[in-house]
Amino acid sequence: MPETLFSLAEQIRRCTACPLWKQRTLAVPGEGPKNAKLLFIGEAPGVEEDRQGLPFVGRSGKFLTEMLNQIGIDRKTVFITGSVKCHPPKNRVPKTKELAMCKELWLDKQVSLLKPKLIVLLGSVAIQSSLGEKKDLANVHGLVVEKEGLHYFLTYHPSAAMRFPAVRKLMEDDFKKLKRVLN
Ligand code: URA
């Protein structure tokens, strides 16, 4: 049977490849239409995402939805997922090994099936996971980067923008730029 986003999601829900599965309630494969042109990659499921098995449904999800609406994008038209699919205990940052394993097993396959025109990396963990190196967001936010035939738009994580008004302004400007890039 050929792999689909749906069959991948089923496998992700059963994944026990790294220790994060032990403390999760539900894995969060991601959601969105299979023909989505835009893919958003966050960090890891939070408490609410872990409870519902859906990405960005907590406070930062509401914020992301509003940011999308501000540039005329309906959240239902984009695919949203995380760099890892299971909620790390106490909301800790996913470890390098967890990021690498989850990318190789799941994220890379989701990207190959979806073939998005543009991948929006939300925050430094998503950047580290997808681009394979740590970058200072102050220097790279708002940029489009090409790697191995894929195009990435780099910006902040919604939770940072919610916490710091200065970051919020930068992220809002990045999203305006994102809109221009998409047009
Ligand atoms: N933060 C993330 O990075 N992903 C989610 O799904 C929720 C919060």
Side-chain angles (χ1 to χ4, degrees):
M1 279 261 283
E3 209 116 73
T4 62
L5 285 165
F6 185 84
S7 67
L8 273 185
E10 288 192 319
Q11 295 171 62
I12 291 169
R13 289 189 193 98
R14 295 193 302 265
C15 182
T16 56
C18 88
L20 287 182
W21 76 274
K22 289 184 195 153
Q23 290 178 65
R24 75 173 177 229
T25 311
L26 293 172
V28 183
E31 71 172 350
K34 60 177 189 283
N35 62 351
K37 306 262 180 300
L38 254 184
L39 167 63
F40 286 78
I41 304 178
E43 183 174 323
V47 171
E48 193 53 32
E49 289 76 18
D50 176 69
R51 207 174 64 78
Q52 296 190 37
L54 295 168
F56 281 101
V57 285
R59 260 166 31 91
S60 54
K62 193 158 174 268
F63 185 85
L64 176 63
T65 306
E66 280 166 15
M67 294 276 293
L68 287 169
N69 290 343
Q70 270 181 35
I71 58 165
I73 295 178
D74 181 348
R75 174 183 166 138
K76 288 195 216 76
T77 65
V78 304
F79 200 95
I80 304 178
T81 189
S83 301
V84 297
K85 315 303 190 195
C86 297
H87 173 54
K90 299 195 183 120
N91 261 336
R92 68 161 169 79
V93 176
K95 295 181 180 163
T96 305
K97 227 175 143 179
E98 293 161 352
L99 289 169
M101 200 173 255
C102 208
K103 177 173 184 286
E104 191 185 330
L105 273 175
W106 308 122
L107 187 56
D108 285 348
K109 290 177 189 155
Q110 290 178 309
V111 171
S112 312
L113 287 168
L114 196 63
K115 297 188 184 65
K117 283 215 159 55
L118 190 64
I119 300 172
V120 181
L121 299 177
L122 299 167
S124 55
V125 172
I127 291 171
Q128 185 198 338
S129 161
S130 285
L131 301 183
E133 53 183 312
K134 290 189 181 165
K135 289 186 189 283
D136 185 351
L137 261 169
N139 301 325
V140 298
H141 76 92
L143 297 182
V144 176
V145 172
E146 202 231 295
K147 190 177 183 214
E148 291 161 13
L150 297 168
H151 290 84
Y152 298 91
F153 184 86
L154 280 42
T155 189
Y156 292 91
H157 192 282
S159 64
M162 277 165 58
R163 223 170 304 144
F164 306 107
V167 174
R168 180 187 178 128
K169 174 79 178 71
L170 293 171
M171 191 172 176
E172 281 171 351
D173 290 346
D174 286 352
F175 266 53
K176 285 180 198 147
K177 203 165 162 191
L178 172 64
K179 183 73 186 168
R180 288 200 295 276
V181 170
L182 294 173
N183 292 336

